Amino acid sequence: MIVCLTCYPTAMAFCFLEELRWEFTCYLYVFYGSARKLKMFAALSLLCLRNIYLYGPQNSWQVLFHIGVASLSSYQILARKPMEKQTDSGV
């Protein structure tokens, strides 16, 4: 991202928070946990705040793309069902 390569401390801080948000989203993909609706809402809100703050360096297509991808991944995480444990066959 071009914005992350700037010398502005606030832009660099937002990029760092964005990286943490993506890692947290990947964590929610892998591990099924409680309060995931609240966690995904917080992650999606963080992305929207980041896009509002960085709207100047980005054009509207980039903002719509990031929000669209984040919304799709949020839906996939919320629609995911936990896997059932396999019964032990005693072998």
Side-chain angles (χ1 to χ4, degrees):
M1 222 176 151
I2 299 297
V3 178
C4 292
L5 300 176
T6 63
C7 61
Y8 300 114
T10 53
M12 290 173 28
F14 270 98
C15 289
F16 178 71
L17 288 175
E18 179 65 14
E19 179 65 30
L20 289 178
R21 188 195 68 79
W22 275 116
E23 289 176 11
F24 182 66
T25 302
C26 291
Y27 172 81
L28 289 175
Y29 270 128
V30 176
F31 300 106
Y32 187 88
S34 62
R36 61 188 175 143
K37 286 184 182 180
L38 179 65
K39 292 175 184 176
M40 274 315 304
F41 178 73
L44 190 60
S45 298
L46 184 65
L47 177 108
C48 290
L49 287 174
R50 177 200 162 268
N51 280 329
I52 290 169
Y53 179 76
L54 296 176
Y55 179 69
Q58 295 180 343
N59 62 25
S60 58
W61 286 109
Q62 288 175 318
V63 171
L64 290 174
F65 175 76
H66 284 123
I67 291 175
V69 168
S71 300
L72 180 63
S73 66
S74 298
Y75 171 75
Q76 289 176 338
I77 288 172
L78 294 176
R80 179 178 167 261
K81 303 281 188 232
M83 291 179 57
E84 295 180 11
K85 290 187 176 184
Q86 298 293 328
T87 57
D88 187 21
S89 59
V91 178

